[in-house]
Amino acid sequence: MREEIVQRLELRDPEIIVKGFDRPNIWLGVRTFREEDDKEQALLENVAATDGAAIVYVATQKRAERIAADLVAHGVHAAAYHGGMRRREREAAQEGFMADGGDVDVMVATIAFGMGVDKPDVRLVAHLDVSGSLDEYFQEMGRAGRDGEPARALLLYRPQDLGRRRFMASGRIDPALLERVARVVGTAPEGVDAAELLDVLELPRSRLATALHRLDDAGVLHVGDDGLVVPVAGADVDAGLRAAGDLESDREAFERSRVEMMRGYAEHDGCRRAYLLGYFGEAFTPPCGNCDVCDAGRGAVAAADDGAFEVGERVAHPDFGEGTVQRLQDGMVTVVFDRVGYRTLSTEIVLQRGLLVPEEDG
């Protein structure tokens, strides 16, 4: 991956600094609920008990505003932040939160709040709604404790919450739409501007951009840096459309697997830090002593590893293709495959059938 980044950015003699993912000063915890009202009440209690700044992540703009209002009603200096607000309102909320001694102690936000946020003394990052993946969750919870002092990352979880994430992960581009875009572009050998395609096809900008990206990857057309979309001369459009459909299926499978890994974290009964770091391919021997499971004395349950695989090892599967070993525990091996995402397999069956081969031998 590092080599690919260097190549794509055309970097010359770059200095590569590799650091681990562990943030040992952040306590990791999950609380599970059956009822939404109980979950929101627990959030109010946790925020009110926090001595210092806090960030609460929610899934929707309306929820951000409502939870912020509830916190204010309970005497908390809170504000909402989301993409639907006027720019001036967003800036005022962020400035109030970021300033030392500002008038906002708690920011209730969608994922619109995050880029460029580097407030060192955030003591709590709470998720009232589950993130779409552990990648997102790690990035968001990582805004806690940047001063190195103790902080908390709390996920308030209901299994039902995953339904929304699974739905969002299954948003495939209709094959008929891909074909329509390909055929229209094919009628313009000299190319057509992407802005003109918006008018001709009457599509939302985001859906057209996604369709063009899939067709570009499949070799049906090429999208230039100047926005000119050109059909690839001599391309087999029918074969390209099938390839684009396969790419879209793979993307959906990958996104759904990321949601399932988020579920795995929320429902994990072992050390949460070991699970989280294993997801990123970083080996960790539990207990961490700073998560809810370790607090309960259950974090020392370690992986039963026979040495067949190593975390971070590149392997190849006959059906799923190439991937990286992410986690080894309880006779199971979790691999993130480049094409289809995360799969958890029985180590015994994998070894019996020779399903995972070191990449250099595959």
Side-chain angles (χ1 to χ4, degrees), residues 242-274:
R242 288 192 296 271
D246 291 342
L247 289 170
E248 187 65 11
S249 296
D250 290 345
R251 185 209 63 80
E252 181 180 357
F254 197 105
E255 292 302 317
R256 290 180 68 87
S257 78
R258 292 185 354 143
V259 174
E260 288 308 303
M261 292 300 288
M262 190 70 225
R263 178 193 62 78
Y265 174 80
E267 299 178 6
H268 187 48
D269 59 1
C271 174
R272 296 201 193 279
R273 182 163 271 99

Side-chain angles (χ1 to χ4, degrees), residues 23 25-26 50-57 77-79 92-108 113-125 139-152:
R23 297 283 303 284
N25 64 308
I26 302 180
T50 297
D51 184 14
I55 301 173
V56 177
Y57 280 104
H77 296 156
Q94 181 164 334
E95 289 172 3
F97 179 72
M98 297 295 292
D100 292 336
D103 57 0
V104 178
D105 295 327
V106 180
M107 186 70 82
V108 185
F113 182 73
M115 296 302 292
V117 174
D118 191 19
K119 185 176 176 64
D121 58 346
V122 174
R123 303 270 68 89
L124 170 69
V125 173
Q139 184 181 53
E140 291 156 3
M141 56 145 270
R143 295 179 180 117
R146 293 193 172 182
D147 55 4
E149 296 299 316
R152 300 168 67 233

